[in-house]
Every structure is written in C-alpha cells, then in structure tokens.
C-alpha cells in the first residue's frame, strides 16, 4: 500500500500550454517540494515556468495548499494530505 498522498495540482490558464492543456494534475507527493520534483519529472516544460534554474519558485508565482500560501506555512516543506489542492497562482499587480 502506497503511503504517499495523492493531491491535485491546479494549473492556471496561462500555464496550461506547458502541460498539454491540463487544468489539473494528479500528483503523489508528501510535501510541496516533492510535488514540484514530480512535476519536474513528468511535466518538465511546466516546471521550467514555475521554478527557476536553481529550483526556487519564481518570484511572480505563489503556491497555495488549499487556502493557505505556503509562505505562511512551512514553505516547500509543507506536508500534504490526501485530497489537498496545490494551486499555482500568478501574482497580480496593478493600480
């Protein structure tokens, strides 16, 4: 029996072209970092849009687990539970 939870990664419209148009990706991952590592292996074009060459999440993107920004949790070490929703959210600015 696999103990790694299956979570859903929500991909915003502008990034869907990097994962064959998929709005959601099922991922088995125990942490947000593990989810990003899985995306790097399975959707490398999407990963390059989300993370820079050092593996850090790009500054103009936010990652949420359910309703909470991972910056307010444990960052990329945030633990995931079965059924969690990880959302990639581009930052919005304007006046």
């Amino acid at each position: 029996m696999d103990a790694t939870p299956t979570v859903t990664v929500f991909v915003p419209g502008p990034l869907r072209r990097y994962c064959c148009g998929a709005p959601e990706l099922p991922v088995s991952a125990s942490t947000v970092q593990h989810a990003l590592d899985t995306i790097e292996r399975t959707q490398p074009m999407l990963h390059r849009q989300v993370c820079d060459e050092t593996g850090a999440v790009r500054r103009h993107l936010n990652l949420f687990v359910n309703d909470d920004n991972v910056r307010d949790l444990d960052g990329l070490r945030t633990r995931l539970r079965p059924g969690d929703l990880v959302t990639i959210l581009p930052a919005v600015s304007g006046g």
Side-chain angles (χ1 to χ4, degrees):
M1 176 181 218
D2 188 356
T4 305
T6 298
V7 300
T8 300
V9 176
F10 175 79
V11 182
L15 295 179
R16 291 178 188 166
R17 65 181 168 187
Y18 302 106
C19 57
C20 300
E24 296 179 343
L25 301 170
V27 174
S28 292
S30 57
T31 65
V32 173
Q33 181 64 62
H34 188 200
L36 291 174
D37 294 344
T38 300
I39 289 170
E40 182 177 23
R41 284 190 310 279
T42 61
Q43 303 290 334
M45 291 175 55
L46 174 62
H47 186 267
R48 284 192 292 274
Q49 301 304 311
V50 175
C51 296
D52 66 18
E53 60 280 350
T54 69
V57 175
R58 294 188 182 278
R59 289 185 335 168
H60 67 279
L61 293 175
N62 292 296
L63 296 177
F64 283 77
V65 174
N66 303 316
D67 294 329
D68 298 307
N69 191 319
V70 298
R71 292 179 182 154
D72 299 329
L73 300 170
D74 200 16
L76 298 181
R77 293 180 305 230
T78 299
R79 305 280 308 159
L80 299 173
R81 295 182 312 250
D84 277 350
L85 176 64
V86 177
T87 301
I88 302 168
L89 188 65
V92 178
S93 62

